[in-house]
Amino acid sequence: MKKIYVLAVLMAGLLIFGQQAFGFGGPGNSGPGSSAMMPLPIKPLLVTGSDGTAYVESVNTAGTVSGSLTSNITAITSSGAKQAIAVNGKVMSLVMGKDTSSRDTLVAVASVPPQSTNSTPGSPSTVLYFVSLPFNQSATPVSVSLDGMNASEPVFVNGFVYITTSSVTFSNSGTPGSQTSYLYIVGTNGSIVSQVAY
């Protein structure tokens, strides 16, 4: 009897969690994918510089770069002053580090959707953006395109960024095939020091 009671309590807790977090199981709701489903909140990206300036990202709904989805990277000082730059793609992570001259550098990892040329779909890619700090609205980030998607969080080591990506091939019928992963070592000036498939 005690086991049945514990099981009933666990089931009730899961039902309540499912209703609150995923919007299913409630009255008049047909489950995930229905119009009543509430999306989970997305955590905004935030890093801070050594001077206390905060750097945040947001999707840019007001304009595009090269006809694609863009993101804003906004610098907000402790006094509330703001400067923003736009980069191509959806920024997935922000990391603060130092270049080989020990200058504060922000690296943004963006997922860039496929581009189409002459009705032929392109391939999605990962792009690194390097921005020397502090920056202003006229700043032009150094960009580096990498093979593969599903990028890891970049890591700064001795002025270089280490990052992994992976890509999956698909057949004409859409069946996933082999997966290739890459380790990149990239300089903040945009040079790819090493690319190793594994």
Side-chain angles (χ1 to χ4, degrees):
M1 180 62 77
K2 186 174 181 181
K3 290 182 179 179
I4 294 174
Y5 175 77
V6 170
L7 182 59
V9 170
L10 286 173
M11 292 298 290
L14 286 174
L15 180 59
I16 292 170
F17 173 78
Q19 289 175 335
Q20 293 177 346
F22 299 102
F24 62 81
N29 192 332
S30 60
S34 71
S35 60
M37 183 174 172
M38 296 295 292
L40 290 174
I42 298 174
K43 293 180 180 178
L45 301 177
L46 166 68
V47 293
T48 56
S50 57
D51 63 352
T53 299
Y55 298 88
V56 296
E57 68 81 32
S58 59
V59 173
N60 183 5
T61 58
T64 62
V65 173
S66 302
S68 180
L69 173 72
T70 66
S71 297
N72 283 335
I73 301 173
T74 304
I76 306 174
T77 67
S78 55
S79 64
K82 295 186 293 185
Q83 296 280 351
I85 57 173
V87 296
N88 201 11
K90 172 66 177 80
V91 172
M92 308 303 290
S93 62
L94 291 174
V95 174
M96 189 73 63
K98 293 187 181 295
D99 63 14
T100 52
S101 301
S102 296
R103 183 175 179 179
D104 283 346
T105 303
L106 180 69
V107 59
V109 182
S111 173
V112 178
Q115 301 293 311
S116 295
T117 304
N118 297 327
S119 302
T120 302
S123 299
S125 62
T126 296
V127 177
L128 298 183
Y129 293 100
F130 295 97
V131 187
S132 295
L133 303 179
F135 71 77
N136 56 40
Q137 287 180 291
S138 62
T140 302
V142 174
S143 63
V144 184
S145 294
L146 308 178
D147 291 329
M149 297 292 289
N150 304 317
S152 68
E153 189 85 357
V155 177
F156 268 98
V157 179
N158 297 327
F160 296 92
V161 166
Y162 289 65
I163 188 170
T164 60
T165 64
S166 63
S167 62
V168 179
T169 59
F170 290 87
S171 66
N172 291 336
S173 63
T175 304
S178 60
Q179 175 175 311
T180 304
S181 297
Y182 305 92
L183 167 66
Y184 283 94
I185 304 174
V186 185
T188 56
N189 62 354
S191 62
I192 296 178
V193 177
S194 178
Q195 177 194 12
V196 180
Y198 66 94

